[in-house]
Amino acid sequence: MASKKKILKKIQIVITNHFSSPEEAFAFFDKGSDGKLSKGEIVKLLKQAEISGFIRGLVASKLIEGYDNDGDGLVDWKEFKVAIGEILGKSKT
């Protein structure tokens, strides 16, 4: 399996190369327009990041587990912003 560092780097490349801001990336992957990313929506982000299909579901689950602070099984904008801050090497704000 790809290392966490490699997976995060691929996500960073997708966000910085294909979107003008993290907000634009979030809105693009939030297909339900509910302000939250479901596991399926995160899997689509991982597919765009060229994460192997075999591990996408597992990685999506781990991302939700790591960033879903309110326990709803989804990643909202605030949680996504924390994740992106870590991916881009910024402090959590």
Side-chain angles (χ1 to χ4, degrees), residues 20-90:
S20 61
S21 68
E23 292 90 340
E24 183 183 352
F26 184 87
F28 178 83
F29 290 106
D30 181 17
K31 297 297 185 193
S33 299
D34 59 0
K36 298 183 180 211
L37 298 180
S38 67
K39 182 177 177 181
E41 291 166 333
I42 293 171
V43 165
K44 287 183 172 120
L45 182 147
L46 296 172
K47 182 177 182 181
Q48 184 80 21
E50 299 179 359
I51 304 301
S52 169
F54 180 73
I55 65 166
R56 271 185 222 132
L58 178 63
V59 172
S61 293
K62 289 293 184 184
L63 286 171
I64 291 171
E65 183 181 303
Y67 294 104
D68 176 26
N69 293 325
D70 60 10
D72 65 356
L74 303 166
V75 175
D76 64 25
W77 166 244
K78 185 177 180 182
E79 296 160 342
F80 184 79
K81 196 164 60 170
V82 170
I84 295 305
E86 290 181 13
I87 289 169
L88 299 179
K90 299 175 183 174

